[in-house]
Amino acid sequence: MGKQPPTAQIDPIRLQIEELQKELRPRRPLAERIMESCPLMTAACGLIGGLILQRQFNISFLFWASVLSILCLTVLCVSGFLNKRQKAVFLLWFIFLAAIPFGGARLRLFQSPRPNDIRKRISNFPSLASLGGKILTEPRLEDRSQWVFGRTQWTQRGASFLLQIDEALTSDGWEPACGIVYATISEPVKSLHGGDRIRFHGILNRPRPADNPGMFDGKKYFENQGIFCMANIPALESIVLHKPDTRSRWLRLPERFRGWVFEKLDAFGGELKECSDLPETLLLGQRSNLDMKTRAAFQKTGLAHYISLSGMHVGILSGIFWWLGRAAGLEKRKRAALCILLIGLYAVVVPPRAPTMRAVFLAEFVFLSIMIRRRPQPMNTLALTALILLLIRPCELFQAGWQLSYSTVLGILLFYEPLQGKLLRPLSMYPQAVDLLFRLPAGGVLWSILQSSLKLLAVGLSAWLGGAGIMLWHFGILTPLSAVWTVFVFPLVFLILLSGFLKLLLVPLLPTLAAISSVWLDLLSDLFIRIVTAVADLDLLVFRIGRMGLWVILLYYLWLLGVYFLPQRKKVRSFWAVAGAIGIIFAFSAGRLHRAFVKELTLTCLSVGHGLAVLAEMPKGETLLFDCGSISVKNPGGRILVPFLQHRGIGSLDTVILSHGDLDHYNGLPEVLASVPVHSIYVNPGFLRRAEISPSARQMLSIF
């Protein structure tokens, strides 16, 4: 006899009774429910509002102090005249309104230079300077692996690092200074390390803004990190290395630990060269190692969250640590303490990006609540992590990574349970089919897989709903099937992560088993990349809409909040959901159709420096790219051409024309070909003759 189905989970009458009980249950006032479950959410919303207002209007610090003083006086005057219920509402409003000036003042303080800040010494034009300070990060060697023609550059691979300035040379000698400088040098450096104190002579300038629409904005990025000054050091001879501080050895420990982890992960690996970098990407967040075509496939399928360390990665790692603690016989609180320690070490290894730090903080707070025997409140914990991260780095709010991280998690917290109920409801409507499933030899296993898949689909859909507007705002693309692909490839991702984490444990203890696991890890990685690439080639329901207006994004999230907060079993909620969905689809389609059927020729000459790249958009929607290269801009295809096509919502090119065989007219094309389909490429006989004597032109022809 097969295993009997769990009728308690699929009984339709029981489900209807539970829904009716929820409707008839007395609903407490909203203020009381917020105070009980997520009081910090109001503070987080107020802080975010203050940051946005300060960013938009650049308000003075005195104004924010005055607003906060008025709010405090109002509380003292009004609080004595309110009853218990009114006090709860009043307290929530006070927390929200008081957090606004805190947010504005924090951003004002973050952006205001000190009297001796180095940014006050530079102008809008490059200038010579002599500075001294301490190296904050290990010098990082320039990576040209993502650019096919990166090796053809005549300049040597350079290095970069962050420098904490503490002195500057003036006409009166060396004087105290402060500020963080992003320093670059046009040659590798092996004698410099994090914590070293140096003096150098170089050229100071301000970070450059984006030169083309859709292009990475270096000025905004660095200023959001509190970096307002760049230093170009011409050569090693311009640097004077002081005797390293003895404390610098402790500063190098995280970097040494990080290097040890990478070394152990690479040990016995690399048999399959095309995929040997994927475990480092999934486990340690090294996305720069992936080739352009693979990264484009992840973006096109909406699976880019798998190569960006987030809650899923930290959750699997936490589960492994928790299981190891249980296997070792540790009681619950000691297991939680072990997980806090190990996840903290993991945070030292991985890049400190917003999704990763949010996931690490969430995991640490959950285990801390286990240690102190308190039940965690997910919404409140999420708000707490947002408060901490924004108080440390307030400008992170305006980064795409931060917005995507929190919008997707918020979408999961709000919509997972309703979507899960709707997806599981059809199972309760056909109990005969479920009973037939359980009569099969592996019916119980199939039932578990089906339920787990539907729950994972609910997670993917809720995360997509939360992040769709942010994806459209920053990248101009919608991938509704990303939740389906997430369910499809999740088993592979789980096996890769589990195998990778176990390999790190096996290398120092059991090298033979680690070598065997390396072969298994490479095979899984190869299969994963092949599946993602094949799905990307299908090009199913991928809407490249291009940059939309902010009002469309705001309307989308207003519609989403209305769907969640409007009362259930009300016709107004159904009308709001259907009418809003139709309106949003119409707005998206109108913007896309306007660009596709524009009645005039549009020529865009992209700023590529020493080179040429011109995009022509024809009246009937055809697109033509005339040349695409540069020798004064690194990786022109990946940094300029592909982002511009995404900004315009162009998913394919009809024609590419290469005028001749000089490198600065075609060295950006391989990255374009890896990201968007190109129907035809035209070259003249001069290009073919050049390929007979030029290795670069010959390589370009082989890529065709």
Side-chain angles (χ1 to χ4, degrees), residues 210-215 604 606 640 643-645 647:
D211 296 321
N212 301 280
M215 185 177 171
T604 305
L606 296 172
I640 296 176
F644 178 75
L645 294 176
H647 175 81

Side-chain angles (χ1 to χ4, degrees), residues 456-482:
L456 186 58
L457 180 60
V459 172
L461 287 173
S462 55
W464 182 83
L465 285 173
I470 305 298
M471 284 290 296
L472 190 61
W473 170 251
H474 288 284
F475 307 107
I477 187 172
L478 284 178
T479 53
L481 289 181
S482 61

Side-chain angles (χ1 to χ4, degrees), residues 27 49 79 128 130 203 208 228-229 235 293 301 310 321 332 357 435 445 461 489 504 520 540 560 605 624 651-652:
R27 298 177 63 88
S79 58
L128 296 173
S130 297
I203 301 174
R208 289 187 56 183
F228 300 88
C229 183
K293 184 177 181 181
T301 55
S310 57
F321 292 156
K332 209 170 188 180
M357 292 299 100
D435 183 65
V445 176
L461 287 173
V489 301
L504 292 177
W520 168 251
L540 295 176
L560 208 60
C605 298
L624 183 149
S652 63

Side-chain angles (χ1 to χ4, degrees), residues 17-300:
I17 292 175
E18 288 181 352
E19 292 182 1
L20 184 60
Q21 287 177 342
K22 289 180 181 179
E23 291 296 322
L24 297 178
R25 188 179 302 160
R27 298 177 63 88
R28 291 181 300 164
L30 180 62
E32 293 183 10
R33 286 183 284 151
I34 293 177
M35 287 296 296
E36 180 180 346
S37 60
C38 54
L40 292 178
M41 185 58 69
T42 56
C45 292
L47 187 73
I48 291 173
L51 294 174
I52 294 174
L53 289 174
Q54 178 63 35
R55 177 72 170 248
Q56 194 70 25
F57 301 106
N58 193 22
I59 303 171
S60 67
F61 190 86
L62 180 61
F63 175 82
W64 291 123
S66 303
V67 171
L68 187 59
S69 301
I70 294 172
L71 288 173
C72 292
L73 289 174
T74 304
V75 170
L76 293 176
C77 297
V78 177
S79 58
F81 301 96
L82 303 176
N83 57 38
K84 184 177 180 180
R85 179 171 295 182
Q86 290 173 336
K87 283 184 178 180
V89 177
F90 183 77
L91 181 59
L92 282 178
W93 276 107
F94 172 73
I95 293 174
F96 172 75
L97 295 176
I100 294 177
F102 266 109
R106 177 66 185 98
L107 184 57
R108 179 75 182 186
L109 191 63
F110 182 81
Q111 294 178 330
S112 299
R114 298 180 183 177
N116 59 345
D117 198 296
I118 189 63
R119 77 179 94 161
K120 289 188 172 183
R121 300 174 183 264
I122 61 174
S123 62
N124 293 326
F125 303 97
S127 57
L128 296 173
S130 297
L131 303 173
K134 182 173 68 175
I135 298 177
L136 296 178
T137 59
E138 286 291 319
R140 180 182 178 184
L141 190 64
E142 178 188 356
D143 181 22
R144 294 183 182 175
S145 61
Q146 298 304 306
W147 183 15
V148 172
F149 290 102
R151 296 180 181 177
T152 61
Q153 276 194 318
W154 55 82
T155 57
Q156 199 175 16
R157 294 177 70 189
S160 59
F161 52 88
L162 292 181
L163 186 70
Q164 177 70 58
I165 299 298
D166 54 26
E167 58 181 350
L169 183 61
T170 66
S171 56
D172 298 326
W174 289 95
E175 294 184 354
C178 66
I180 298 178
V181 170
Y182 181 79
T184 59
I185 183 170
S186 57
E187 57 183 298
V189 291
K190 297 182 180 180
S191 58
L192 300 180
H193 300 280
D196 291 347
R197 293 185 56 80
I198 64 172
R199 283 181 176 177
F200 70 92
H201 309 287
I203 301 174
L204 293 185
N205 51 44
R206 298 183 184 276
R208 289 187 56 183
D211 296 321
N212 301 280
M215 185 177 171
F216 173 75
D217 195 331
K219 184 175 185 294
K220 285 185 178 179
Y221 173 80
F222 283 112
E223 289 182 353
N224 288 340
Q225 309 301 317
I227 302 170
F228 300 88
C229 183
M230 316 282 287
N232 182 20
I233 304 173
L236 278 174
E237 290 76 11
S238 303
I239 299 176
V240 177
L241 176 62
H242 289 203
K243 185 178 180 180
D245 189 354
T246 55
R247 292 175 298 179
S248 65
R249 290 179 299 178
W250 297 101
L251 295 175
R252 295 179 195 173
L253 284 178
E255 186 65 29
R256 291 178 180 177
F257 180 60
R258 189 179 297 114
W260 179 86
V261 172
F262 277 95
E263 178 185 353
K264 298 307 178 185
L265 186 61
D266 286 337
F268 316 109
E271 290 83 359
L272 301 173
K273 186 177 184 301
E274 67 273 12
C275 64
S276 58
D277 291 325
L278 184 63
E280 289 186 0
T281 303
L282 293 179
L283 274 74
L284 305 176
Q286 292 298 113
R287 291 178 295 184
S288 60
N289 295 331
L290 288 180
D291 62 272
M292 190 71 181
K293 184 177 181 181
T294 303
R295 296 177 69 180
F298 275 98
Q299 293 176 357
K300 190 175 180 180

Side-chain angles (χ1 to χ4, degrees), residues 189-477:
V189 291
K190 297 182 180 180
S191 58
L192 300 180
H193 300 280
D196 291 347
R197 293 185 56 80
I198 64 172
R199 283 181 176 177
F200 70 92
H201 309 287
I203 301 174
L204 293 185
N205 51 44
R206 298 183 184 276
R208 289 187 56 183
D211 296 321
N212 301 280
M215 185 177 171
F216 173 75
D217 195 331
K219 184 175 185 294
K220 285 185 178 179
Y221 173 80
F222 283 112
E223 289 182 353
N224 288 340
Q225 309 301 317
I227 302 170
F228 300 88
C229 183
M230 316 282 287
N232 182 20
I233 304 173
L236 278 174
E237 290 76 11
S238 303
I239 299 176
V240 177
L241 176 62
H242 289 203
K243 185 178 180 180
D245 189 354
T246 55
R247 292 175 298 179
S248 65
R249 290 179 299 178
W250 297 101
L251 295 175
R252 295 179 195 173
L253 284 178
E255 186 65 29
R256 291 178 180 177
F257 180 60
R258 189 179 297 114
W260 179 86
V261 172
F262 277 95
E263 178 185 353
K264 298 307 178 185
L265 186 61
D266 286 337
F268 316 109
E271 290 83 359
L272 301 173
K273 186 177 184 301
E274 67 273 12
C275 64
S276 58
D277 291 325
L278 184 63
E280 289 186 0
T281 303
L282 293 179
L283 274 74
L284 305 176
Q286 292 298 113
R287 291 178 295 184
S288 60
N289 295 331
L290 288 180
D291 62 272
M292 190 71 181
K293 184 177 181 181
T294 303
R295 296 177 69 180
F298 275 98
Q299 293 176 357
K300 190 175 180 180
T301 55
L303 298 175
H305 58 278
Y306 278 134
I307 58 175
S308 176
L309 290 182
S310 57
M312 182 197 68
H313 303 74
V314 176
I316 293 176
L317 182 62
S318 301
I320 294 175
F321 292 156
W322 187 263
W323 177 83
L324 290 175
R326 176 182 292 176
L330 298 178
E331 58 99 6
K332 209 170 188 180
R333 297 176 68 185
K334 292 181 179 179
R335 269 182 273 162
L338 176 66
C339 290
I340 290 175
L341 174 62
L342 295 179
I343 290 175
L345 291 176
Y346 181 70
V348 172
V349 176
V350 298
R353 302 189 185 103
T356 310
M357 292 299 100
R358 184 263 308 159
V360 167
F361 275 116
L362 275 174
E364 299 283 39
F365 285 137
V366 168
F367 288 120
L368 182 62
S369 65
I370 293 175
M371 287 187 62
I372 62 177
R373 296 176 179 174
R374 293 290 300 272
R375 183 179 179 181
Q377 297 287 349
M379 194 75 74
N380 205 49
T381 306
L382 182 68
L384 179 59
T385 63
L387 287 170
I388 293 175
L389 293 178
L390 290 179
L391 287 175
I392 296 173
R393 291 185 176 180
C395 288
E396 283 285 334
L397 172 66
F398 308 104
Q399 296 291 332
W402 196 96
Q403 296 172 12
L404 273 174
S405 175
Y406 278 87
S407 62
T408 52
V409 175
L410 192 59
I412 292 173
L413 294 179
L414 294 179
F415 296 103
Y416 168 67
E417 288 190 1
L419 286 175
Q420 179 191 6
K422 291 184 180 299
L423 290 175
L424 292 177
R425 183 173 297 176
L427 299 180
S428 66
M429 298 174 63
Y430 301 99
Q432 297 83 1
V434 176
D435 183 65
L436 181 63
L437 176 66
F438 271 82
R439 294 181 184 276
L440 297 176
V445 176
L446 293 176
W447 171 258
S448 299
I449 293 175
L450 179 60
Q451 274 197 320
S452 300
S453 299
L454 290 176
K455 291 178 180 179
L456 186 58
L457 180 60
V459 172
L461 287 173
S462 55
W464 182 83
L465 285 173
I470 305 298
M471 284 290 296
L472 190 61
W473 170 251
H474 288 284
F475 307 107
I477 187 172

